[in-house]
Amino acid sequence: MTPAQPPLRIDVLTLFPGLFAGFLSESIVGRALAKGLVAVHTWDMRDWAEGRHKQVDDRPFGGGPGMVLMAPPVVAAAEAVLAAAEPPGGLIVLSPQGPRFDQAKAAELAGRGRFTLVCGRYEGFDERIIEILRPELLSVGDFVLSGGEPAAMVVIDAVARLVPGVLGDAESALDESFGPDGGLEYPHYTRPREYRGLTVPEVLLGGDHAAIARWRREHRR
């Protein structure tokens, strides 16, 4: 009997698959994988590199600092991974040249069924990788990272929590920052009721759910 496919499969192409080990085994993402609701497969792009040294980068033509990811291993890896399961899904290269990742994009990706993330390193990609593969580009922000792996983890975490059944409370994904109403989160309180002279607002203690909902709407920030 063929095991059921998870609602979402994410493939990750990287030069450092070991970076994902702890991330994929803990917290909400780890539980999503354990429940079979999300599957994440990491692939080492060096497996598609040629030669004894499995070279994946080289100096840029025209000179300049740093190294550039070579087209042959990255293209071969992407083509092989896309063909590893049906449907092949979309290919996303994590790049500062892409549009900004946000909650709406996370929701869209959560409904795709499958997509593949490509993590860059060094000074970036040989442009022919983009020209041949025609991937979608996606940026997690205007700052410099050592590689695409932390960006991939941001995308995986934001997307996985939106897959139905991943969060314990079905309303959790709707009632948080950047939810459908567009607001940020309201202040949260838990025990003790008083701490260092600061008390929990009385409205949250009275059990009037309509009043609580109104207070929370008014205090989104």
Side-chain angles (χ1 to χ4, degrees):
M1 184 177 180
T2 303
Q5 295 296 316
L8 177 64
R9 168 173 171 155
I10 304 172
D11 293 270
V12 183
L13 275 63
T14 172
L15 295 179
F16 299 95
L19 289 176
F20 291 86
F23 168 71
L24 295 176
S25 65
E26 302 289 345
S27 191
I28 290 173
V29 173
R31 292 198 297 272
L33 269 64
K35 291 179 179 179
L37 298 173
V38 179
V40 179
H41 300 266
T42 57
W43 306 81
D44 190 339
M45 290 186 286
R46 287 188 181 87
D47 291 342
W48 284 270
E50 299 178 352
R52 183 164 60 93
H53 298 292
K54 295 292 186 179
Q55 185 176 358
V56 295
D57 63 316
D58 209 338
R59 296 187 179 280
F61 284 119
M67 306 289 277
V68 175
L69 281 171
M70 301 164 65
V74 178
V75 170
E79 290 177 341
V81 168
L82 289 174
E86 288 292 339
L91 184 68
I92 300 172
V93 167
L94 295 158
S95 166
Q97 280 78 44
R100 185 75 61 84
F101 179 64
D102 58 16
Q103 190 70 8
K105 186 63 179 179
E108 187 255 306
L109 291 176
R112 283 197 184 184
R114 186 189 179 201
F115 61 89
T116 298
L117 299 171
V118 184
C119 302
R121 277 276 159 173
Y122 314 121
E123 293 302 309
F125 297 94
D126 184 307
E127 186 62 22
R128 290 167 293 186
I129 295 170
I130 308 301
E131 293 173 353
I132 293 169
L133 296 175
R134 300 288 182 182
E136 180 180 352
L137 303 181
L138 193 62
S139 169
V140 297
D142 298 332
F143 45 84
V144 179
L145 296 170
S146 298
E149 289 78 14
M153 293 179 198
V154 167
V155 173
I156 292 168
D157 187 274
V159 171
R161 63 189 293 110
L162 298 179
V163 174
V166 169
L167 296 181
D169 184 343
E171 296 298 316
S172 292
L174 298 176
D175 193 33
E176 59 185 2
S177 298
F178 311 110
D181 65 1
L184 298 182
E185 286 214 69
Y186 45 78
H188 296 281
Y189 296 88
T190 188
R191 288 184 281 185
R193 290 190 178 191
E194 186 274 334
Y195 179 65
R196 294 194 178 185
L198 300 174
T199 59
V200 177
E202 283 297 323
V203 66
L204 301 179
L205 306 173
D208 185 336
H209 296 294
I212 291 172
R214 184 168 56 251
W215 182 91
R216 286 175 171 173
R217 285 195 303 270
E218 292 171 352
H219 287 80
R220 284 189 179 273
R221 56 193 179 190

